[in-house]
Amino acid sequence: MDTHTARRPRLGVFKFASCDGCQLTLLDCEDELLGLAAQVDIAHFLEASGAVEPGPYDLSLVEGSVTTAEDAERIRRVRAESRHLVTIGACATAGGVQALRNFADVEEFRAIVYARPEYVETLATSTPIAAHVPVDLELQGCPIDRGQLLEVITAFLSGRKPDIPRHSVCFACKRRGIPCVTVARGTPCLGPVTHAGCGALCPSYGRGCYGCFGPSGSPNLPAMIPLLRSDGMSDEDVLRVLHTFNTAKFAAIEQETGPS
């Protein structure tokens, strides 16, 4: 009888500048997590255990943005030790809400917020992981969807391409039979330009989508912004709703398409 067993794939989960919410999504998988743990070796996941094993890792999930010089150095080490690297959540894929600093004076913020700003070392920008190292897949959301996360892990470990849609939230509304909140109620909604994945959660409760999953595969902001204004949003309101969790990605599209 062969006493040797096949090596199980090794999973690493890493945190950068973030709130930990996307890592908690993995822990919230509960019963599915038990099954996953039986199939892989969770070698690095500080949110779940202080026991850490060195790389290499077959799959690394990375939450959070790069906001310090140390972050920039550490993500290169993680990439070098990872066969596949997947970024999870708005911070890792778009810089997060902390990327608002990219459009302001970070030194002014530091002086106002901290009593001893000289002790706070930070970069002037908050950038996504893909700005620093190659990324195999970006999983959007704030936080990410547990179903999509399990699909990504299962797909990478089984050697197939993850089935993650690139269409907008509007498709999810149609599939669930949810009346369009804009057409039915005149409610401003970012659904037409926002990446699907949340299951159209906000429209299912009668409120407009506010873009927490970031821009979809082909967003048309020049057409969307005038519609938001016609639905009662001021220029300040439009700016605010686009500059939240995924401010850097929406801002980049605005720059490409020009003012609307």
Side-chain angles (χ1 to χ4, degrees):
M1 180 178 177
D2 185 6
T3 58
H4 296 285
T5 57
R7 181 181 71 85
R8 293 192 300 178
R10 306 181 77 239
L11 175 68
V13 184
F14 299 89
K15 168 187 166 58
F16 287 76
S18 64
C19 71
D20 291 26
C22 292
Q23 293 180 83
L24 290 175
T25 298
L26 178 55
L27 293 178
D28 286 343
C29 289
E30 298 174 344
D31 293 341
E32 297 93 339
L33 183 60
L34 294 176
L36 175 65
Q39 300 297 320
V40 302
D41 285 328
I42 302 178
H44 187 290
F45 189 8
L46 294 179
E47 190 77 22
S49 172
V52 174
E53 299 177 16
Y57 308 100
D58 293 287
L59 174 64
S60 289
L61 305 176
V62 178
E63 176 192 75
S65 63
V66 173
T67 61
T68 67
E70 181 183 2
D71 285 343
E73 180 180 348
R74 184 161 63 95
I75 190 55
R76 288 192 288 269
R77 294 199 301 269
V78 172
R79 174 71 268 189
E81 295 177 337
S82 306
R83 181 183 177 193
H84 300 295
L85 189 149
V86 174
T87 52
I88 57 173
C91 294
T93 61
V97 69
Q98 58 267 33
L100 287 168
R101 75 170 72 176
N102 299 2
F103 310 98
D105 184 355
V106 72
E107 294 300 328
E108 182 180 359
F109 284 162
R110 182 158 52 180
I112 293 172
V113 173
Y114 298 99
R116 300 298 297 271
E118 65 271 19
Y119 293 148
V120 180
E121 293 188 5
T122 184
L123 298 173
T125 58
S126 172
T127 47
I129 300 299
H132 300 268
V133 297
V135 168
D136 295 296
L137 181 74
E138 293 184 331
L139 190 59
Q140 296 176 214
C142 186
I144 53 174
D145 175 74
R146 56 183 284 179
Q148 287 193 351
L149 176 60
L150 289 169
E151 163 63 17
V152 165
I153 295 174
T154 302
F156 271 97
L157 296 180
S158 61
R160 63 176 176 83
K161 183 178 179 181
D163 183 16
I164 302 298
R166 288 179 54 79
H167 54 247
S168 71
V169 171
C170 289
F171 283 80
C173 283
K174 297 294 187 295
R175 287 174 176 173
R176 290 189 57 187
I178 300 171
C180 176
V181 296
T182 299
V183 174
R185 305 183 182 186
T187 302
C189 179
L190 286 181
V193 296
T194 298
H195 198 289
C198 64
L201 181 62
C202 289
S204 70
Y205 286 93
R207 65 168 292 177
C209 166
Y210 58 95
C212 65
F213 267 67
S216 59
S218 54
N220 187 352
L221 282 183
M224 184 76 248
I225 292 176
L227 288 176
L228 294 174
R229 292 176 178 143
S230 67
D231 288 329
M233 297 185 74
S234 66
D235 290 345
E236 182 180 355
D237 292 334
V238 171
L239 183 66
R240 182 179 294 112
V241 77
L242 290 175
H243 292 180
T244 55
F245 314 101
N246 295 274
T247 180
K249 278 198 172 182
F250 277 120
I253 296 171
E254 288 180 272
Q255 291 174 0
E256 290 177 4
T257 57
S260 299

